Amino acid sequence: MRSTLVINAFTEFTPSHTLQGMWRVPDAVEHRALNSMDSWLDLARIAERGCLDTIMFADAIGLGGDFDANVREGILIQNDPTSLIPAMATVTENLGFVVTGSILQDHPFQLARRMSTLDHLTKGRIGWNVVTSYSDEAWKNFGQPGVPSHADRYAWADEYMEVVYKLWEGSWDDQAIVHDRETGVWADPAHVRQIDHVGTRYQVTGPHMVEPSPQRSPVIFQAGSSEAGRTFAATHGEATFINSADPKSAKTLIDDIRARAVSAGRKPDDLYFTQAFTFIVGSTEEEANRKADEMFSYLNIEGMASKLSGYVGMDLTKLDPSVPLSEWTKPGITGIFDAILAAFPPGYNPTLAEIVEVRSKNGLFIGTPEQIADQLQDWQHAGLTAINVLIPTRNSSLVDFVDFVIPELQRRGISQREYTPGTLRRKLHGSGDRLPSNHIGASYRKAPLLHP
Amino acid sequence: MRSTLVINAFTEFTPSHTLQGMWRVPDAVEHRALNSMDSWLDLARIAERGCLDTIMFADAIGLGGDFDANVREGILIQNDPTSLIPAMATVTENLGFVVTGSILQDHPFQLARRMSTLDHLTKGRIGWNVVTSYSDEAWKNFGQPGVPSHADRYAWADEYMEVVYKLWEGSWDDQAIVHDRETGVWADPAHVRQIDHVGTRYQVTGPHMVEPSPQRSPVIFQAGSSEAGRTFAATHGEATFINSADPKSAKTLIDDIRARAVSAGRKPDDLYFTQAFTFIVGSTEEEANRKADEMFSYLNIEGMASKLSGYVGMDLTKLDPSVPLSEWTKPGITGIFDAILAAFPPGYNPTLAEIVEVRSKNGLFIGTPEQIADQLQDWQHAGLTAINVLIPTRNSSLVDFVDFVIPELQRRGISQREYTPGTLRRKLHGSGDRLPSNHIGASYRKAPLLHP
């Protein structure tokens, strides 16, 4: 594991990611460039200029909350993020690309094929953020009556992972690759095999239809801090998202998942822990506050409430004031819900305005580059090894971060000054291109790797 | 409909498309560049230099034939073609991209999202070749016991089309788009709606998560000349593939599908008919023949037999000489099977070598640009309005076609000298960007288009 923080630019192919209303800020480009490739290519170039590790795309395939509010704010618009990556790869050399993919949206045979192709075309710069879709609306777009329990979703996810590991790790040995024009042998059938998976939900004959890509399995990211989510992260994740209210609670969660990883036969450092932050930077604290005040004057409370309702799986606009928030069921994103709860005294029942206020300030750093670096070091000391840099106004927020904060982080040795050559996995973990031998995915291999 | 032929460069993201063994020809790049973006970007530039209409990608998600032969020849390798398009779009301005997508491989909600995103990012240059997957092996990769009948596959396809039309045409009115930074309204909820599809196979709530792209529905291509396939083409297709042995049989098929289109309330010219050809060009006939001889010296008979077995759905390597070929069942690609049958006298039972010979000469034109243009005019007189130019050796075959054949076609007015501005649909059909009002997809609209 690196001593420098892994830094991901964190965005979504939508007008309205985490801070609703920001597309109205004068220097944001969404209203004219959401669907234009050029502005996304610029974003990739900016990220690589700052030696950031990846651009990571959040995604959704259905959203709760208030339909009308969602449409008015553009929250319901979720273009396919994988369609940006091939083009972004042509204007960068080192930047990684992490794409969120739900077990619900793609059949594992097809997901495996797409990921392997992207990994080939980017020369091994692909990560996959495995999610299980938390909203009823997503499941109803794919023929299901609603969202299953965490446990059921993760049982599904476990089989899904089994299928893709069989395809990525088990179907082709390294020794299969021949590509010999003299003998006319493209590949050696003695080293390619069907997977013949027969499971609860999937039956897949195979073989995998893409020959081994530089990383084979993409770097596995995961989000979800429910009980089942933590176990999944500890088993499969090479990086996991957390959403903690402060460094202290982050440490508790990180220590817990690390212990689970060790129980699964892995090393505590085999996983990165990343949390999303919004940075508003000024050369003085006053300037930063002024910028923040201007940005937040565009905050769309209705949109914030609607998006948050979707996240936590309950309609916050219809809160019953007689029931304390802590007693609500929470089928949605546990981490976000917990972070809100933690902001209020036990038993206190906040108003919607108070909840939105807490949400909009979640992970928000306003200040000079030095102040921001100080705060990041506090998180780093608590065990955080990666950060996701949110981009409330595209692309200007990332320009600010790269041009003002990154130099200070580099000066302190918190962020890298240059890229490690090679695949994303090598850049992150320093060693091989492929899953380490203690990772569950490696157990599906049939022959030793030629270049482990 | 244009007076000039629509010309598509026809390829597949595999080492071995229609003529097995050609990856060994000295100027082919597959063995070192199959997975490299650069060679594909070059292909797009070459196609646009020749004013070709599209690059069209064949695809497969499972393949029959002989497993070992498939692996040795690279036939089993089928990378995801959609991953090339965003990058190819950044190096071209007018070239269209047609991607083959089976109803089996993507859920319609997800396919609709991907196609709409690609259509946005390419400014309306996307076509979709709807296929229903002819091989047992494909269906077994997606949890099915084997390939259903033509009728069942097309019934499935009809519901699939209903879902995607509801998403593309019915979920968002043009009037929904606001994008107003003053009022803070991204879109108008009075003009966005769920689709609430409840069908035999799919239940999809919606709404579509991508706002209307330039074409909304991509240009619909279709392949399949079975009874059910012809009806599907006549109903949905804006272009359809045929695979006829000669202009005369092409005319019969074209007339039949045109009549069906008219029965479906469309005009005979609402569909293009396209057939794939391989062109080997020389400045003299002798030079062309010499080139052809050299290329065919690399023909891999074992690979040809295996790939063809997959296409026609029966193992040609295990032919029973006592049963005439005409009595075999033909669950695979009817057109290819029929083209083989037509090459032999009725009741004759050809050897495997004879079958491979016929297959490898199917649609093969060897000659000078003038001879090739003469032959194409014969096909054009029979009603063919488009051609698919196969690329046996990438990228050199397409360079030859673009640099030597295209000028002759342009001189005769058979191919276009410049692009019509605008979307792929406008380039092909001369009028609107969106499906015409007599097309079945248009019946799913809820509000009139602002720019029909």
Side-chain angles (χ1 to χ4, degrees):
Chain A
M1 180 164 280
R2 292 188 342 211
S3 61
T4 50
L5 278 178
V6 166
I7 304 184
N8 310 298
F10 189 37
T11 187
E12 192 167 20
F13 199 168
T14 173
S16 193
H17 186 193
T18 54
L19 286 176
Q20 277 59 57
M22 293 301 126
W23 61 273
R24 299 176 67 193
V25 174
D27 61 2
V29 298
E30 260 70 17
H31 73 293
R32 60 180 168 76
L34 174 69
N35 298 313
S36 132
M37 192 72 93
D38 291 347
S39 74
W40 290 103
L41 299 185
D42 283 344
L43 191 74
R45 291 186 189 100
I46 294 160
E48 188 157 278
R49 188 170 88 211
C51 267
L52 268 54
D53 289 274
T54 77
I55 289 189
M56 182 176 301
F57 288 95
D59 197 15
I61 48 175
L63 269 177
D66 182 79
F67 185 94
D68 286 7
N70 283 346
V71 173
R72 271 193 296 270
E73 176 57 18
I75 294 171
L76 259 177
I77 292 168
Q78 303 281 337
N79 297 345
D80 167 42
T82 57
S83 300
L84 293 171
I85 292 172
M88 285 177 147
T90 65
V91 299
T92 54
E93 298 218 335
N94 283 289
L95 188 66
F97 303 98
V98 184
V99 63
T100 295
S102 167
I103 56 168
L104 188 57
Q105 72 187 7
D106 287 312
H107 190 283
F109 184 81
Q110 183 68 350
L111 177 107
R113 201 163 82 102
R114 282 220 169 89
M115 288 286 172
S116 295
T117 304
L118 287 172
D119 201 51
H120 272 303
L121 292 174
T122 62
K123 300 187 164 68
R125 294 192 270 154
I126 297 296
W128 170 35
N129 177 31
V130 188
V131 299
T132 60
S133 293
Y134 58 83
S135 80
D136 275 339
E137 288 71 12
W139 288 79
K140 287 178 179 171
N141 284 331
F142 289 84
Q144 306 291 326
V147 59
S149 70
H150 275 113
D152 287 349
R153 282 152 57 194
Y154 281 102
W156 182 332
D158 279 333
E159 188 187 346
Y160 196 100
M161 298 306 292
E162 191 182 329
V163 176
V164 296
Y165 290 141
K166 284 176 177 173
L167 293 165
W168 286 326
E169 303 291 335
S171 187
W172 290 66
D173 304 333
D174 285 357
Q175 293 79 354
I177 304 306
V178 181
H179 296 194
D180 186 333
R181 296 220 281 190
E182 292 307 313
T183 59
V185 175
W186 183 274
D188 178 356
H191 286 283
V192 182
R193 60 190 70 82
Q194 297 186 170
I195 67 164
D196 293 322
H197 175 84
V198 179
T200 309
R201 190 169 299 277
Y202 298 109
Q203 294 81 45
V204 182
T205 304
H208 191 37
M209 296 188 77
V210 185
E211 58 190 23
S213 69
Q215 300 185 118
R216 287 184 175 247
S217 297
V219 178
I220 309 287
F221 286 69
Q222 189 269 354
S225 49
S226 68
E227 179 63 25
R230 291 180 194 206
T231 300
F232 188 91
T235 308
H236 299 280
E238 301 177 85
T240 186
F241 292 78
I242 62 170
N243 190 346
S244 295
D246 51 56
K248 188 159 166 283
S249 55
K251 186 171 187 329
T252 307
L253 179 56
I254 290 169
D255 288 347
D256 175 80
I257 298 177
R258 284 207 165 122
R260 290 171 196 245
V262 171
S263 301
R266 304 174 71 197
K267 289 179 290 181
D269 279 354
D270 284 350
L271 284 97
Y272 280 90
F273 293 88
T274 187
Q275 171 142 343
F277 297 107
T278 303
F279 301 99
I280 302 178
V281 197
S283 54
T284 64
E285 200 177 328
E286 194 193 9
E287 189 194 335
N289 282 324
R290 210 165 47 232
K291 267 167 87 170
D293 287 346
E294 201 214 330
M295 279 178 56
F296 276 84
S297 74
Y298 291 98
L299 193 74
N300 178 345
I301 306 292
E302 181 200 33
M304 288 293 296
S306 184
K307 178 103 190 226
L308 189 54
S309 296
Y311 278 155
V312 300
M314 59 193 218
D315 191 344
L316 293 169
T317 63
K318 297 185 181 59
L319 283 179
D320 178 347
S322 68
V323 181
L325 193 63
S326 55
E327 289 177 17
W328 280 69
T329 54
K330 37 179 177 173
I333 298 183
T334 326
I336 290 177
F337 191 96
D338 289 345
I340 292 169
L341 272 191
F344 300 104
Y348 180 79
N349 204 11
T351 65
L352 178 60
E354 287 172 322
I355 293 171
V356 167
E357 168 83 9
V358 164
R359 172 63 186 158
S360 68
K361 300 287 162 60
N362 179 244
L364 176 66
F365 289 1
I366 303 168
T368 63
E370 293 73 17
Q371 289 172 322
I372 287 171
D374 287 346
Q375 287 190 284
L376 283 179
Q377 282 182 313
D378 290 343
W379 282 84
Q380 208 177 6
H381 293 147
L384 200 71
T385 46
I387 62 170
N388 280 12
V389 180
L390 284 159
I391 309 171
T393 61
R394 195 164 58 82
N395 296 330
S396 58
S397 300
L398 194 65
V399 171
D400 281 0
F401 183 81
V402 161
D403 290 350
F404 301 112
V405 180
I406 283 287
E408 178 63 23
L409 299 182
Q410 288 175 332
R411 202 153 27 236
R412 298 190 190 192
I414 304 174
S415 77
Q416 65 186 0
R417 288 174 183 275
E418 56 185 21
Y419 287 104
T420 304
T423 60
L424 177 58
R425 182 169 284 116
R426 190 176 289 273
K427 284 175 165 63
L428 296 187
H429 290 284
S431 53
D433 298 321
R434 297 177 174 179
L435 283 175
S437 57
N438 65 352
H439 187 281
I440 187 172
S443 66
Y444 293 93
R445 290 182 191 137
K446 305 289 179 184
L449 296 178
L450 287 181
H451 307 286
Chain B
M1 181 165 279
R2 294 191 337 214
S3 61
T4 50
L5 279 177
V6 166
I7 304 184
N8 310 299
F10 189 36
T11 188
E12 191 167 22
F13 199 168
T14 174
S16 194
H17 186 193
T18 54
L19 286 175
Q20 278 59 59
M22 293 301 126
W23 61 273
R24 297 176 67 193
V25 174
D27 62 1
V29 298
E30 261 70 17
H31 72 292
R32 59 180 168 76
L34 175 69
N35 298 313
S36 130
M37 191 74 93
D38 290 347
S39 74
W40 291 102
L41 299 185
D42 284 344
L43 191 75
R45 291 186 189 100
I46 295 160
E48 188 158 277
R49 188 169 89 210
C51 266
L52 268 54
D53 289 275
T54 76
I55 289 188
M56 183 176 301
F57 289 95
D59 197 16
I61 48 175
L63 269 179
D66 182 79
F67 185 93
D68 285 6
N70 282 346
V71 172
R72 271 193 296 272
E73 176 56 20
I75 294 171
L76 259 176
I77 292 168
Q78 303 282 337
N79 296 345
D80 166 43
T82 55
S83 300
L84 292 170
I85 293 173
M88 285 179 147
T90 64
V91 300
T92 53
E93 297 217 335
N94 282 290
L95 187 66
F97 303 97
V98 183
V99 63
T100 295
S102 167
I103 56 168
L104 188 58
Q105 72 187 6
D106 287 313
H107 189 283
F109 185 81
Q110 184 67 350
L111 177 106
R113 200 163 82 103
R114 281 218 169 91
M115 289 286 173
S116 295
T117 303
L118 287 172
D119 201 52
H120 272 303
L121 291 174
T122 61
K123 298 187 166 68
R125 293 192 270 152
I126 297 296
W128 170 35
N129 176 31
V130 188
V131 299
T132 61
S133 292
Y134 58 82
S135 81
D136 274 339
E137 287 72 12
W139 289 78
K140 286 178 181 171
N141 284 331
F142 289 85
Q144 306 290 326
V147 60
S149 70
H150 274 113
D152 286 349
R153 281 152 57 195
Y154 281 102
W156 182 332
D158 279 333
E159 189 188 345
Y160 197 100
M161 297 306 291
E162 191 182 329
V163 176
V164 295
Y165 291 142
K166 284 176 177 173
L167 292 166
W168 285 327
E169 303 291 334
S171 187
W172 289 67
D173 304 333
D174 285 356
Q175 294 78 356
I177 305 306
V178 181
H179 296 194
D180 187 334
R181 296 220 282 191
E182 292 308 310
T183 60
V185 175
W186 183 274
D188 178 357
H191 287 283
V192 181
R193 59 190 72 82
Q194 297 185 171
I195 67 165
D196 293 321
H197 175 84
V198 180
T200 308
R201 191 168 299 277
Y202 298 110
Q203 295 80 45
V204 181
T205 304
H208 191 36
M209 295 187 79
V210 185
E211 57 189 24
S213 69
Q215 301 185 119
R216 288 182 174 246
S217 297
V219 178
I220 309 288
F221 286 67
Q222 190 268 354
S225 48
S226 68
E227 180 63 27
R230 292 180 194 205
T231 301
F232 188 91
T235 308
H236 300 280
E238 300 176 86
T240 186
F241 293 78
I242 62 171
N243 190 349
S244 295
D246 51 55
K248 189 161 165 281
S249 56
K251 187 172 185 328
T252 307
L253 180 56
I254 290 169
D255 288 347
D256 175 79
I257 298 176
R258 284 208 166 121
R260 291 172 198 243
V262 171
S263 300
R266 305 174 69 196
K267 289 178 291 182
D269 280 355
D270 283 350
L271 283 97
Y272 280 90
F273 292 89
T274 188
Q275 172 143 341
F277 298 107
T278 302
F279 301 99
I280 302 178
V281 197
S283 55
T284 64
E285 201 177 326
E286 193 193 10
E287 188 195 335
N289 283 324
R290 213 168 41 235
K291 267 168 86 168
D293 288 346
E294 201 213 330
M295 279 176 58
F296 276 85
S297 74
Y298 292 98
L299 193 74
N300 178 346
I301 306 292
E302 180 200 36
M304 288 295 294
S306 185
K307 179 103 190 224
L308 189 53
S309 296
Y311 278 154
V312 300
M314 59 194 218
D315 191 344
L316 294 169
T317 64
K318 298 185 180 59
L319 283 180
D320 178 347
S322 68
V323 181
L325 191 63
S326 56
E327 290 177 16
W328 282 69
T329 54
K330 36 180 178 173
I333 297 182
T334 326
I336 291 177
F337 191 96
D338 289 345
I340 292 168
L341 272 191
F344 300 104
Y348 179 80
N349 203 10
T351 64
L352 179 60
E354 288 172 321
I355 293 172
V356 167
E357 169 81 9
V358 164
R359 173 63 186 159
S360 68
K361 300 287 162 61
N362 180 243
L364 177 66
F365 289 2
I366 302 168
T368 63
E370 293 74 16
Q371 289 172 323
I372 288 171
D374 288 347
Q375 288 191 283
L376 283 179
Q377 282 183 315
D378 289 344
W379 283 84
Q380 208 177 8
H381 293 146
L384 199 72
T385 46
I387 61 170
N388 279 13
V389 181
L390 283 158
I391 309 171
T393 61
R394 197 164 58 81
N395 295 328
S396 58
S397 301
L398 193 66
V399 170
D400 281 0
F401 184 82
V402 161
D403 290 350
F404 300 112
V405 181
I406 283 286
E408 179 61 23
L409 299 182
Q410 287 175 333
R411 204 152 27 236
R412 299 190 190 193
I414 304 175
S415 78
Q416 65 186 1
R417 288 174 183 275
E418 57 185 20
Y419 287 104
T420 304
T423 60
L424 177 59
R425 183 169 284 115
R426 189 175 290 272
K427 284 175 166 63
L428 298 186
H429 290 283
S431 55
D433 299 320
R434 297 178 175 178
L435 284 174
S437 57
N438 65 351
H439 188 281
I440 187 173
S443 67
Y444 293 93
R445 290 181 191 138
K446 304 290 181 185
L449 296 178
L450 287 181
H451 307 285

